[in-house]
Amino acid sequence: MADHPIIMGVLNITPDSFSDGGRFFESQNAIDQAILMVEQGADIIDIGGESTRPGAPDVSEEDELNRVLPVIEALSGNINVPISIDTSKPVVMKRAVESGASIINDVFALRSDGALEMAASLGVDVCLMHMQGNPRTMQQNPRYDDVVLEVKDFFAERIEACAKVGIKPESITLDPGFGFGKNLAHNVALLKNLSEFHEFGVSILAGLSRKSMIGALLGDKEVDERMIGSVTAALIAADNGADIIRAHDVAETRDALRVWERIKNFRE
Ligand code: 9MG
């Protein structure tokens, strides 16, 4: 665990994320974007080939591999920060790690068939995210009696499942999964109580960037108007103990965190 929050830069390689000039241009734009994020201060690059937005369509294994592998191969060895693969599919995990990824970021927390065993055999770090339901249906009517407690129970169960296949706590990051089967009140409760998840003694990741909760808090602002709100939420997460901030706007998030850290540690 670093002594200050680090930034995971988001690199989505989905047809709606980059130009539609064909696979080569899609890959080249993604590579350029990753390099820019590293220059702006990203500590990890998180590469995903399947959208996890509410209602997003499923993507085949082949399409996902075709999107992410050329980019991971091009970046591996050419950037000085770790690459994480955002996937729930065991085959994509394997091929991505063979191509240079060293972290698995799984929004299903290794609950897909074979995912737990695959992650254990690859021996890489894992990020386990909480989600109620699945991306197709998760926002229809999320319900909890006590969201913080239920997310904690989920984390305890996943850490135990990991232990059974030999994945040690020091390889695990936990993520409450803002916006994944949660309404605004659930998201706010998780953000305000983020520090409680440190009881597991592992790193905590917060992914708030551009999420609909930010739009809702700003009176229904569109995705491209959520940058300042996202940076503000990132600072609240940092203040509440987040170790890793997952962000699209790396330069802005870096500056905000730097000011927050310098004021917090300021000595005359
Ligand atoms: C892939 N992805 C989209 N949102 C995310 C979030 O909040 N956390 C993690 N770990 N992954 C996410």
Side-chain angles (χ1 to χ4, degrees):
M1 241 182 271
D3 59 357
H4 61 276
I6 62 171
I7 297 177
M8 170 186 268
V10 179
L11 192 67
N12 286 326
I13 315 173
T14 50
D16 52 344
S17 318
F18 288 100
S19 82
D20 57 358
R23 177 55 32 83
F24 172 77
F25 291 103
E26 199 174 281
S27 298
Q28 195 51 52
N29 282 341
I31 292 161
D32 293 346
Q33 173 65 14
I35 291 169
L36 179 66
M37 286 197 290
V38 174
E39 286 166 2
Q40 291 175 335
D43 303 285
I44 301 170
I45 298 294
D46 187 41
I47 300 181
E50 176 172 30
S51 174
T52 48
R53 273 200 306 269
D58 286 329
V59 172
S60 72
E61 194 171 277
E62 191 189 351
D63 280 349
E64 202 176 323
L65 286 168
N66 286 337
R67 288 175 189 172
V68 299
L69 290 188
V71 178
I72 297 173
E73 279 159 13
L75 290 175
S76 167
N78 288 312
I79 54 172
N80 58 357
V81 304
I83 296 170
S84 83
I85 175 69
D86 152 20
T87 191
S88 300
K89 297 187 181 80
V91 171
V92 178
M93 293 173 187
K94 181 171 191 296
R95 298 284 303 279
V97 169
E98 285 168 356
S99 300
S102 57
I103 303 169
I104 295 168
N105 173 30
D106 185 1
V107 298
F108 275 104
L110 304 177
R111 288 177 293 153
S112 308
D113 280 352
L116 203 53
E117 294 73 16
M118 179 58 79
S121 74
L122 293 169
V124 294
D125 289 352
V126 295
C127 177
L128 307 177
M129 199 197 76
H130 175 273
M131 166 163 42
Q132 188 181 82
N134 64 62
R136 257 48 69 191
T137 58
M138 64 191 180
Q139 288 311 98
Q140 282 166 10
N141 188 21
R143 296 176 81 105
Y144 300 85
D145 289 326
D146 180 331
V147 67
V148 176
L149 211 62
E150 288 173 49
V151 170
K152 273 191 199 174
D153 288 347
F154 174 83
F155 286 159
E157 185 273 319
R158 295 320 292 157
I159 289 172
E160 200 179 316
C162 282
K164 285 193 179 134
V165 293
I167 301 174
K168 298 203 165 71
E170 49 269 33
S171 305
I172 298 175
T173 291
L174 297 174
D175 177 351
F178 293 101
F180 284 83
K182 283 118 191 160
N183 64 26
L184 182 58
H186 300 140
N187 287 320
V188 170
L190 290 168
L191 183 54
K192 284 187 154 187
N193 293 285
L194 200 65
S195 63
E196 288 204 23
F197 300 122
H198 274 300
E199 74 180 47
F200 295 100
V202 308
S203 301
I204 303 299
L205 184 147
L208 295 142
S209 183
R210 299 185 185 173
K211 295 240 164 119
S212 58
M213 72 175 276
I214 306 294
L217 290 167
L218 291 170
D220 283 332
K221 282 208 167 176
E222 295 298 324
V223 172
D224 59 357
E225 298 174 312
R226 297 179 190 165
M227 189 269 286
I228 295 175
S230 300
V231 171
T232 307
L235 284 182
I236 296 170
D239 215 36
N240 288 348
D243 302 289
I244 307 174
I245 304 289
R246 189 173 182 276
H248 297 82
D249 301 294
V250 170
E252 292 82 359
T253 308
R254 177 88 283 157
D255 273 0
L257 285 175
R258 198 169 277 151
V259 170
W260 170 77
E261 270 161 43
R262 295 201 68 181
I263 291 175
K264 208 160 60 93
N265 301 323
F266 192 80
R267 300 272 176 280
E268 257 188 318

